[in-house]
Amino acid sequence: MSGVTVNQPYAPNWEGFVGALQDFQSTMPTPIVYKIVGFDAVAFEDVNQGDALYARSSDGKLGKAIANDTMDKATVAGFAETTQSAGAVVRAIVRGVTPTSGLNPGDFYYLSNASSGAITTTAPTTSGHYQTVIGESGTAAQLIIKIEPPVLLA
């Protein structure tokens, strides 16, 4: 595949650019596999699929994140891939797309300061709470995870 030169030599204009893209496309594997990135850790409380999780600093175990408590709890480590009970291993998705429902396509989502593990389109504004951007909805049923560090509101 590396020897594909159908459109070479590439002209120094838009036709050459298109030719280079066509050659590049012909060397790509079919189908392209979509990947998500995550890690496994023990949950210290029951978690549901799609919950925003934080890693407890004392032992690294995962629990539901919330934006109204401490920096520790407002730092989102990922999203629960499946529902798990306390003491079980849960996979936390940190990059990729996670299935969910009831999203507004194109909206940015934040960690909730009202409900543990929840996300919201309304950014927290209360002094002493945290604002944590967690992603953007691609469709009504898919959240594109783009976790940012929490910001303490003054």
Side-chain angles (χ1 to χ4, degrees), residues 62-150:
L62 300 175
K64 296 177 184 179
I66 191 160
N68 69 359
D69 198 342
T70 63
M71 175 72 86
D72 197 30
K73 290 184 180 180
T75 303
V76 176
F79 289 86
E81 186 175 41
T82 58
T83 299
Q84 296 294 337
S85 299
V89 173
V90 63
R91 181 167 180 78
I93 301 170
V94 297
R95 283 282 186 240
V97 176
T98 185
T100 189
S101 62
L103 301 176
N104 299 317
D107 283 357
F108 282 92
Y109 283 81
Y110 303 86
L111 179 63
S112 173
N113 63 340
S115 182
S116 294
I119 61 173
T120 179
T121 55
T122 306
T125 57
T126 306
S127 180
H129 288 193
Y130 294 85
Q131 189 175 91
T132 306
V133 176
I134 54 87
E136 180 180 2
S137 58
T139 69
Q142 292 182 332
L143 177 69
I144 303 164
I145 301 171
K146 299 177 184 177
I147 302 168
E148 295 183 15

Side-chain angles (χ1 to χ4, degrees), residues 3-93:
V4 175
T5 58
V6 175
N7 295 301
Q8 284 188 0
Y10 305 121
N13 56 26
W14 69 270
E15 288 177 357
F17 178 69
V18 170
L21 289 176
Q22 289 172 333
D23 283 350
F24 179 67
Q25 179 184 20
S26 68
T27 63
M28 296 297 292
T30 305
I32 297 173
V33 178
Y34 184 78
K35 296 196 182 250
I36 59 171
V37 177
F39 65 96
D40 294 336
V42 175
F44 68 82
E45 65 179 329
D46 294 349
V47 296
N48 297 312
Q49 180 182 18
D51 279 348
L53 304 173
Y54 80 98
R56 193 163 57 186
S57 59
S58 62
D59 58 10
K61 292 183 179 181
L62 300 175
K64 296 177 184 179
I66 191 160
N68 69 359
D69 198 342
T70 63
M71 175 72 86
D72 197 30
K73 290 184 180 180
T75 303
V76 176
F79 289 86
E81 186 175 41
T82 58
T83 299
Q84 296 294 337
S85 299
V89 173
V90 63
R91 181 167 180 78
I93 301 170

